[in-house]
């Protein structure tokens, strides 16, 4: 937990994760307020104190159980910081859903391949080593995840007519709600939105800039911080059930609070998600649709 969140007596999104002061990362709240983000001193419970110098790091994700016990603290912190468009805790949260028991046989392979592609594009050793350790831990063949593609996929365009028909129709339908589509191919991302979404929640250029900077989670641009976990879980569950070239749809278990800029206030919205995974995990299209 950081000093600012602790002083405000509010939940910190970095709580429970190892803190690396050299990473320059901030929690969602400090990034939004533009204040300094530093680790708060932690009290030690002497009844539970023990020497952990040789013990593996264990990161507990809010979304479900033990995520990792295979990476040193320094590697884990640096690896999580290299994933764009998210924060360390939100990435760990989503990944915990995807890798939990009972997922689709291809889900773990697809999501790890997407992370490996990002690692290659960014040239980060820590993220590559992180994926390798996860493959070993979950008994996934490395060549199914780490092998480089022999042919590049077509580049993403700025127009929604580059998207699969289901998502293009959602963006152009007059009966749709507030629609945001995220597309990723070989580690590169593009964002799309209908006019209603851009007017009320976030512009495409804001989402692009947030992805590139890695300063905060994309969803936190419009979803209340305390409800972002519902959207993360939605995408985690979609990934868990994914099948090649099949569009899946799910909804959050309850409405989410989203900030409507036109009304200058938070309101409750039903939230629906959709996902399509193609090219053995190299291409992903996700949709968030909000309804009053």
């Amino acid at each position: 937990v950081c000093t600012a969140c602790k002083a405000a007596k509010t939940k910190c999104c970095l709580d429970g994760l190892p803190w690396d002061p050299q990473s320059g990362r901030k929690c969602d709240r400090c990034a939004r307020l533009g204040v300094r983000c530093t680790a708060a001193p932690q009290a030690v419970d002497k009844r539970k104190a023990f020497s952990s110098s040789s013990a593996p790091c264990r990161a507990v994700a809010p979304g479900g159980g033990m995520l990792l016990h295979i990476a040193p603290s320094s590697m884990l912190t640096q690896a999580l910081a290299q994933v764009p468009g998210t924060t360390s805790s939100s990435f760990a949260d989503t990944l915990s859903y995807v890798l939990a028991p009972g997922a689709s046989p291809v889900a773990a392979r697809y999501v790890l391949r997407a992370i490996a592609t990002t690692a290659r594009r960014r040239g980060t050793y820590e993220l590559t080593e992180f994926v390798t350790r996860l493959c070993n831990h979950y008994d996934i063949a490395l060549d199914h995840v780490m092998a480089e593609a022999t042919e590049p996929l077509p580049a993403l365009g700025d127009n929604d007519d580059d998207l699969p028909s289901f998502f293009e129709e959602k963006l152009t339908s007059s009966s749709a709600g507030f629609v945001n589509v995220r597309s990723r191919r070989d580690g590169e991302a593009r964002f799309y939105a209908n006019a209603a979404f851009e007017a009320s929640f976030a512009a495409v250029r804001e989402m692009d800039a947030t992805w590139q900077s890695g300063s905060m989670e994309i969803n936190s641009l419009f979803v209340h911080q305390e409800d972002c976990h519902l959207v993360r879980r939605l995408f985690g569950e979609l990934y868990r059930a994914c099948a090649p070239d099949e569009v899946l749809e799910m909804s959050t278990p309850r409405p989410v609070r989203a900030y409507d800029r036109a009304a200058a206030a938070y309101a409750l919205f039903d939230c629906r998600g959709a996902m399509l995974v193609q090219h053995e995990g190299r291409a992903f299209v996700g949709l968030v649709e909000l309804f009053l």
Side-chain angles (χ1 to χ4, degrees), residues 147-167:
E148 292 207 42
T150 56
E151 295 182 5
L153 295 177
L156 290 165
D158 294 326
N159 299 320
D160 55 28
D161 55 8
D162 293 320
L163 295 169
S165 59
F166 172 88
F167 299 92

Side-chain angles (χ1 to χ4, degrees), residues 97-261:
Y97 297 126
V98 179
L99 298 179
S104 156
V106 299
R109 188 174 82 233
Y110 283 2
V111 74
L112 292 180
R113 188 169 191 185
I115 299 170
T117 303
T118 299
R120 283 197 297 270
R121 280 190 170 273
R122 293 186 165 236
T124 165
Y125 164 79
E126 291 83 8
L127 193 54
T128 301
E129 177 66 12
F130 173 67
V131 174
T132 301
R133 289 176 180 237
L134 280 173
C135 287
N136 292 334
H137 181 74
Y138 288 98
D139 197 25
I140 298 171
L142 281 173
D143 59 347
H144 290 167
V145 171
M146 304 298 290
E148 292 207 42
T150 56
E151 295 182 5
L153 295 177
L156 290 165
D158 294 326
N159 299 320
D160 55 28
D161 55 8
D162 293 320
L163 295 169
S165 59
F166 172 88
F167 299 92
E168 181 183 350
E169 290 167 8
K170 282 287 188 181
L171 285 167
T172 56
S173 172
S174 59
S175 61
F178 303 89
V179 180
N180 164 225
V181 174
R182 307 105 184 263
S183 183
R184 186 188 65 233
R185 294 182 187 174
D186 283 344
E188 288 295 315
R190 290 288 186 278
F191 297 88
Y192 310 83
N194 64 3
F197 187 94
E198 287 207 273
S200 292
F201 296 114
V204 168
R205 66 177 181 275
E206 292 179 79
M207 291 182 279
D208 283 333
T210 301
W211 169 271
Q212 295 297 334
S213 69
S215 60
M216 61 192 296
E217 181 182 358
I218 298 292
N219 297 320
S220 65
L221 287 173
F222 54 95
V223 177
H224 193 284
Q225 181 179 347
E226 294 179 1
D227 287 351
C228 280
H229 73 97
L230 294 171
V231 183
R232 292 196 293 268
R233 180 163 190 166
L234 175 63
F235 277 102
E237 294 292 346
L238 284 166
Y239 241 126
R240 280 171 56 79
C242 72
D245 303 309
E246 179 181 339
V247 176
L248 298 178
E249 295 182 81
M250 293 183 186
S251 298
T252 55
R254 63 173 175 81
V256 301
R257 288 166 289 179
Y259 188 76
D260 185 341
R261 296 180 181 182

